[in-house]
Amino acid sequence: MNILIWHVHGSWTTAFVQGPHRYLVPVLPDRGPDGLGRARTYSWPASAVELSPARLRDAPVDLVVLQRPHEAALAECWLGGRRPGRDVPAVYVEHNAPDGDVPRTRHPCADRDDLRGVTLVHVTHFNRLLWDGGTAPTTVVEHGVVDPGHLYTGELERAAVVVNDPIRRGRTTGTDLLPELSRAAPLDVFGMRTEGLAAHLGLTGDRLRCADLPQARLHTEMARRRLYLHPVRWTSLGLSLLEAMHLGMPVVGLATTEAVEAVPEGAGVLSTRPEALARAARTYLHEPRAAAEDGARARRAALDRYGLKRFLGDWERLLEEVTR
């Protein structure tokens, strides 16, 4: 099939375009949010091709993957009047947990006549539970990850944290918990717009360091740290957590959102008590063999549940149903 999909979430899209189809990725001269084109820091196959809006107008499209509320109108415009869900099959992938007044949060698909009949696809069962999708047909296709390999060495007695915009996002990503946790284990925070985080939290460079690395280097550097720390209070299931498990890293994280499903017993420590996370981090720092053993179990669990084969297989079944 020819599948129109915007490059919105790099890690998720990297897994999605590994399938057997041709992926039409919109590109604009400024490579802004609506025309980012092919990824530059992820490895994408040649079957993911860039198309300008002018070329999309007459392009054969068998399916549209929507990921943001405005993309339905954008697709109709760029496809020469073909409306997703009416003239061409479509799905709407929701990557995020709801925000705001969560128990009453209605999904954009729930109230739009122009998306009537478009299947709403959540990436975690937690997200599906929390969003009010109204009468929209709804399903879940859990995350899949391109396996980076069992790279874990744990040679550095430090914890890896992966988060974007930790200063702006604050309590959502558990940024306020980092000072207490840094006393248990020195932290290396990887991600975009992490500069100035140590000063923001009043920490010295030896307790918290930051870096924004391309994915090829990120995985290797993460795997050199003794453990992966996931202090996130409220978000969808971070793909960096699943990548860390694939690498063979033991996980220490808050028992919130989908993390309680993703990290099984023996693959790390989850708790709603920051002091319990601090104790677990200290234990892994002082017991490298236990860290490696738990990390190996984390990798096996991640391969079983979040492996690429299962992810692509689930998507194939859904695409066959939607386009039938």
Side-chain angles (χ1 to χ4, degrees), residues 94 96-99 101-112 120 122 126-138:
E94 178 53 66
N96 301 313
D99 201 359
D101 187 7
V102 172
R104 299 173 182 82
T105 304
R106 283 180 70 81
H107 193 274
C109 287
D111 303 309
R112 291 176 53 170
L120 173 58
H122 291 290
F126 178 87
N127 290 0
R128 180 181 186 178
L129 176 68
L130 270 291
W131 276 108
D132 177 2
T135 59
T138 306

Side-chain angles (χ1 to χ4, degrees), residues 68-257:
R68 297 169 295 176
H70 72 280
E71 287 181 355
L74 198 60
E76 184 176 356
C77 177
W78 288 1
L79 293 177
R82 287 173 286 174
R83 179 184 296 179
R86 183 192 66 183
D87 305 307
V88 58
V91 297
Y92 189 111
V93 178
E94 178 53 66
H95 296 278
N96 301 313
D99 201 359
D101 187 7
V102 172
R104 299 173 182 82
T105 304
R106 283 180 70 81
H107 193 274
C109 287
D111 303 309
R112 291 176 53 170
D113 290 338
D114 61 328
L115 294 181
R116 189 183 303 276
V118 173
T119 299
L120 173 58
V121 186
H122 291 290
V123 295
T124 74
H125 290 277
F126 178 87
N127 290 0
R128 180 181 186 178
L129 176 68
L130 270 291
W131 276 108
D132 177 2
T135 59
T138 306
T139 190
V140 177
V141 177
E142 292 190 303
H143 282 302
V145 172
V146 178
D147 182 16
H150 194 170
L151 305 182
Y152 180 72
T153 66
E155 65 200 77
L156 300 180
E157 294 183 354
R158 303 181 68 89
V161 182
V162 179
V163 62
N164 294 325
D165 294 303
I167 297 176
R168 178 181 63 82
R169 297 168 74 190
R171 287 178 55 84
T172 298
T173 52
T175 304
D176 59 302
L177 303 177
L178 297 182
E180 177 182 351
L181 294 170
S182 73
R183 290 192 287 271
L187 307 179
D188 289 327
V189 181
F190 301 100
M192 296 184 292
R193 293 171 290 279
T194 55
E195 59 274 4
L197 180 59
H200 175 75
L201 296 174
L203 297 175
T204 59
D206 62 325
R207 302 312 299 176
L208 187 146
R209 304 184 305 207
C210 296
D212 183 6
L213 303 177
Q215 191 185 46
R217 285 188 57 202
L218 174 62
H219 288 156
T220 300
E221 290 302 319
M222 286 172 61
R224 296 179 64 207
R225 276 66 187 172
R226 185 66 52 83
L227 65 128
Y228 183 78
L229 178 65
H230 190 68
V232 178
R233 279 191 179 89
W234 186 260
T235 186
S236 188
L237 180 61
L239 281 172
S240 58
L241 168 64
L242 302 182
E243 290 168 354
M245 294 174 67
H246 274 77
L247 291 168
M249 302 184 72
V251 174
V252 173
L254 287 178
T256 57
T257 64

